[in-house]
Amino acid sequence: MSNDKKQFEKYKNTLTKSPYLPVKFADFQVLKYNDTNKYSKLKREYKLKKHYDKMFEQGYISKLVDFQTYQKIDREISEKLHGIKTVDGIIIKSHSLHFIDRVIGHIFDVPKDKARNGVAIEDIKNTLLNYYEIKETEKSIRITGKRSRLSISKIYVGNLVQVNSYLGEVRK
């Protein structure tokens, strides 16, 4: 079996309702080699679904969050945070799958040791634009604002890695 055929079967088994995945293998190959934009969206959807399924299975995603909601939050992060330039000149270019999980949080229907508050995208945006503390480690830059604390990768420059709600001392 060719690599394309194996890939098509994996996508077909994982993405049962994808608007990007053709029904026929031949159409999949046409997409893969002739429509890079749509193919990139299909690959992202597959990656999201695999991660979502794993996190759901491990209890890090509540039963209250379906895959469509997960995709919507991924798009909102891209639309509202990518392209932001911080005061220190860091341009946000991407975000990790773990970052999506942290934005959503999980406090209902999960074990207490896995409970974590989500963070509003507007609070994250405000932290990026108006933070009051920044600390660098070997691998990341940690930024603290009024309502969230987040990390940006130094290895993958501009990649949002994780975020936590922050209700510590508010500084001005």
Side-chain angles (χ1 to χ4, degrees):
M1 186 183 292
S2 74
N3 287 339
D4 282 359
K5 185 72 171 170
K6 288 177 189 174
Q7 183 183 27
F8 177 68
E9 292 300 322
K10 283 189 333 187
Y11 282 21
K12 195 167 71 170
N13 291 332
T14 303
L15 300 172
T16 56
K17 298 177 182 177
S18 173
Y20 306 111
L21 183 64
V23 176
K24 296 178 185 174
F25 173 65
D27 294 334
F28 171 74
Q29 285 189 304
V30 169
L31 168 77
K32 182 175 180 176
Y33 296 108
N34 297 310
D35 191 342
T36 55
N37 186 40
K38 194 171 178 182
Y39 180 62
S40 292
K41 290 177 181 179
L42 176 63
K43 287 192 309 183
R44 177 68 180 179
E45 184 179 36
Y46 176 77
K47 187 176 179 181
L48 280 173
K49 181 69 165 109
K50 291 294 284 184
H51 181 78
Y52 170 85
D53 289 347
K54 181 180 175 184
M55 294 298 100
F56 184 83
E57 189 176 292
Q58 293 178 359
Y60 289 102
I61 299 283
S62 168
K63 294 174 187 170
L64 301 173
V65 178
D66 62 11
F67 182 60
Q68 288 72 30
T69 301
Y70 196 80
Q71 286 178 295
K72 180 179 176 246
I73 292 168
D74 176 56
R75 279 191 305 275
E76 284 181 30
I77 293 168
S78 295
E79 291 166 3
K80 294 180 179 178
L81 301 180
H82 292 191
I84 287 178
K85 185 175 183 178
T86 69
V87 176
D88 289 359
I90 301 165
I91 298 172
I92 303 305
K93 299 176 185 173
S94 60
H95 61 278
S96 68
L97 297 174
H98 179 65
F99 189 82
I100 303 166
D101 303 338
R102 291 298 190 92
V103 168
I104 295 170
H106 44 280
I107 58 173
F108 300 107
D109 210 23
V110 295
K112 190 174 183 174
D113 65 325
K114 294 181 182 181
R116 184 177 311 276
N117 287 329
V119 182
I121 292 174
E122 283 304 311
D123 289 341
I124 298 167
K125 184 175 182 178
N126 287 334
T127 295
L128 289 167
L129 296 172
N130 304 302
Y131 54 86
Y132 62 80
E133 183 176 83
I134 186 166
K135 290 185 179 178
E136 290 194 39
T137 67
E138 183 180 322
K139 295 181 181 180
S140 68
I141 300 166
R142 188 175 80 186
I143 298 174
T144 304
K146 288 183 180 179
R147 299 185 52 88
S148 68
R149 178 179 284 155
L150 56 91
S151 294
I152 302 172
S153 175
K154 286 171 72 177
I155 298 165
Y156 303 105
V157 179
N159 183 56
L160 294 165
V161 178
Q162 70 88 28
V163 65
N164 293 311
S165 61
Y166 180 74
L167 303 174
E169 179 183 334
V170 177
R171 301 177 189 168
K172 298 190 179 181

